Amino acid sequence: MKPVVKEIFLLRFVACLGIVLMHSVTLVLDIYDIEENTVFFVLTSLQLALMFGTPVFIFISEFVIAYSYSDELPKSFYKKRFSYIFLPFIFIGIVDAALHSININSIDFEKKVLLNFFEGDFHGYFIIIIFQFYFLHPLFVKFIVSKYPAYQVIITACIINFAYLALFNFFDPFKYLYFLPYIEVEWTVLNKMPFPAWIAYFVVAYYCGKNYEQFISLLHRFRYVLPSICLLMLGILLASQWSGLITEVHSKRIDVIFYTLSVAFLLFFIASKIRNMPKLIIFISRYSFGIYLLHPLFNIMLKSFFTKYIDVLSASTVIVSTFFISTVCSICVTYLLNKWKFGPYLVGQVHAKEKATSNKIRASKTKQLVNHR
């Protein structure tokens, strides 16, 4: 396996903390009776701006696989991911159900467990998505990559992803499929769980990871337009929300696809210019999976606590406090459990202190690629 590229540290750092901040904002919108005024507009816009978090993690997952394993996946690939990713998914799903049943009396524990595992009714649904891509990866390489040009595959994947999400963004199931039982549940599950809802991130990440040097070279060629494209995609996202075109606040929106990719590309470029990645970024990156899994559990408890003090605490105070407390507590629990031999099976492994690719070697290769163009 190749050493990890240093850009991944920044992507994990931003995606992880972006998700924690987004959930902190969501908590405030849930407990405060905020009317549709300036505060509501700002907080909802911030939520939307942070919607790249989960898709970026999907991008990272496939990028690392495509970059690290040039020919085929190692024999231990699925065993390790079952042990350190899927088992924590089971454990956290049960804990999430327990906390919800304790803090919200109307929720039955057994029912919530079933909802979590079979309908993705908690933040861990992301793991079901990446496991679909784990199994899809070798089939994709064998039957698609070897037969079709990259640009055709990327365009096709984006069209499929766009069309799939457009169906859920614009089709009203309650108007046309009202006769189906449990249509709301079925519609929600189909919107987020099947891999076509995320296929563009998988395909683009594969080609970026497989052709890493060329990818970085391309980003440097278009370095002056990357920020503008990112801002444009964010503008389109916010415009579609406040114009009423798409009003659901989640990452399964057609306008999030290209916004997420523009954010990922911009972060890759920024990280490629950093000679020595700051220790804080590397530290958060190493604990990113544990933070992702655990912080919503702390949010459940914090929500019960802050609800009692909404008359004396401002919304901004609650956001900052929730963000800080849930992040720190998640890191501490992940660290402590990883000291126990069975801990990684509960909250995942702490990423090893991976050796990044040599800046000098990478810079030399990138320069050569640019000169050849």
Side-chain angles (χ1 to χ4, degrees):
M1 181 176 175
K2 298 177 182 177
V4 69
V5 295
K6 66 184 178 69
E7 290 85 354
I8 292 299
F9 294 134
L10 183 62
L11 262 74
R12 282 198 198 125
F13 172 83
V14 174
C16 173
L17 295 187
I19 289 172
V20 178
L21 179 57
M22 186 266 292
H23 286 159
S24 300
V25 173
T26 302
L27 184 148
V28 163
L29 290 173
D30 285 344
I31 66 175
Y32 283 87
D33 185 18
I34 300 177
E35 300 178 356
E36 294 194 11
N37 53 21
T38 303
V39 175
F40 178 83
F41 176 85
V42 171
L43 292 180
T44 304
S45 296
L46 180 57
Q47 275 186 307
L48 289 166
L50 296 169
M51 283 298 161
F52 61 80
T54 297
V56 164
F57 269 121
I58 294 172
F59 183 96
I60 292 171
S61 176
E62 180 56 24
F63 180 96
V64 171
I65 293 172
Y67 171 79
S68 302
Y69 310 114
S70 57
D71 297 321
E72 59 183 17
L73 300 178
K75 294 180 179 179
S76 61
F77 179 85
Y78 292 107
K79 180 181 179 181
K80 286 184 177 180
R81 279 151 184 80
F82 176 81
S83 299
Y84 303 123
I85 296 179
F86 190 77
L87 290 183
F89 162 76
I90 299 296
F91 174 71
I92 297 299
I94 294 172
V95 175
D96 175 86
L99 288 175
H100 273 93
S101 63
I102 292 171
N103 288 275
I104 305 175
N105 295 328
S106 60
I107 295 181
D108 181 72
F109 171 72
E110 291 80 5
K111 181 180 179 180
K112 186 66 170 73
V113 169
L114 293 175
L115 289 174
N116 283 353
F117 293 146
F118 293 101
E119 297 181 5
D121 193 37
F122 78 120
H123 60 285
Y125 78 90
F126 152 78
I127 293 174
I128 297 299
I129 296 165
I130 63 170
F131 262 86
Q132 292 178 67
F133 288 128
Y134 288 158
F135 292 113
L136 185 64
H137 175 89
L139 300 176
F140 176 73
V141 173
K142 182 177 181 179
F143 297 107
I144 303 297
V145 173
S146 60
K147 297 181 179 180
Y148 302 98
Y151 76 92
Q152 288 185 4
V153 180
I154 291 173
I155 292 174
T156 302
C158 288
I159 291 174
I160 291 172
N161 205 154
F162 192 91
Y164 187 86
L165 292 184
L167 173 65
F168 292 92
N169 289 171
F170 300 116
F171 185 80
D172 185 358
F174 302 104
K175 182 176 180 180
Y176 300 103
L177 301 175
Y178 60 87
F179 52 88
L180 294 177
Y182 308 110
I183 183 59
E184 182 177 4
V185 174
E186 295 170 356
W187 197 253
T188 301
V189 173
L190 290 173
N191 185 193
K192 66 181 181 181
M193 298 295 279
F195 71 85
W198 313 88
I199 190 69
Y201 309 115
F202 167 81
V203 171
V204 174
Y206 171 82
Y207 285 106
C208 291
K210 185 70 174 178
N211 306 283
Y212 170 66
E213 304 294 346
Q214 294 92 327
F215 170 55
I216 294 297
S217 173
L218 193 64
L219 292 181
H220 280 259
R221 286 183 61 196
F222 292 96
R223 59 189 179 278
Y224 297 116
V225 299
L226 287 174
S228 299
I229 293 175
C230 190
L231 289 174
L232 175 62
M233 293 300 105
L234 176 59
I236 292 173
L237 174 62
L238 295 178
S240 64
Q241 173 71 28
W242 299 117
S243 67
L245 181 64
I246 305 175
T247 56
E248 295 292 331
V249 182
H250 54 57
S251 56
K252 287 77 65 181
R253 299 168 48 130
I254 56 174
D255 44 12
V256 170
I257 299 173
F258 299 109
Y259 170 58
T260 295
L261 292 176
S262 69
V263 170
F265 293 165
L266 180 60
L267 290 175
F268 255 102
F269 171 72
I270 293 172
S272 72
K273 302 296 288 183
I274 301 174
R275 184 176 297 275
N276 295 308
M277 196 63 63
K279 291 182 179 180
L280 176 62
I281 291 178
I282 296 176
F283 177 80
I284 295 296
S285 173
R286 293 180 60 218
Y287 283 87
S288 59
F289 186 61
I291 295 172
Y292 182 93
L293 285 181
L294 293 171
H295 83 271
L297 306 182
F298 290 106
N299 283 5
I300 295 172
M301 295 179 280
L302 289 171
K303 183 177 180 179
S304 298
F305 173 78
F306 284 129
T307 300
K308 302 174 183 177
Y309 301 99
I310 57 176
D311 293 332
V312 295
L313 294 175
S314 66
S316 58
T317 299
V318 174
I319 290 174
V320 173
S321 299
T322 302
F323 175 82
F324 180 77
I325 294 171
S326 61
T327 300
V328 172
C329 289
S330 298
I331 291 172
C332 291
V333 171
T334 302
Y335 172 80
L336 291 174
L337 284 178
N338 268 261
K339 294 297 182 181
W340 180 42
K341 64 178 180 179
F342 296 112
Y345 301 112
L346 302 180
V347 296
Q349 284 182 312
V350 175
H351 287 286
K353 293 183 179 180
E354 301 142 311
K355 182 180 178 181
T357 52
S358 170
N359 291 336
K360 292 182 179 179
I361 295 174
R362 210 275 309 286
S364 176
K365 290 182 178 180
T366 302
K367 184 177 181 180
Q368 291 174 13
L369 286 168
V370 172
N371 290 336
H372 281 304
R373 292 180 179 274

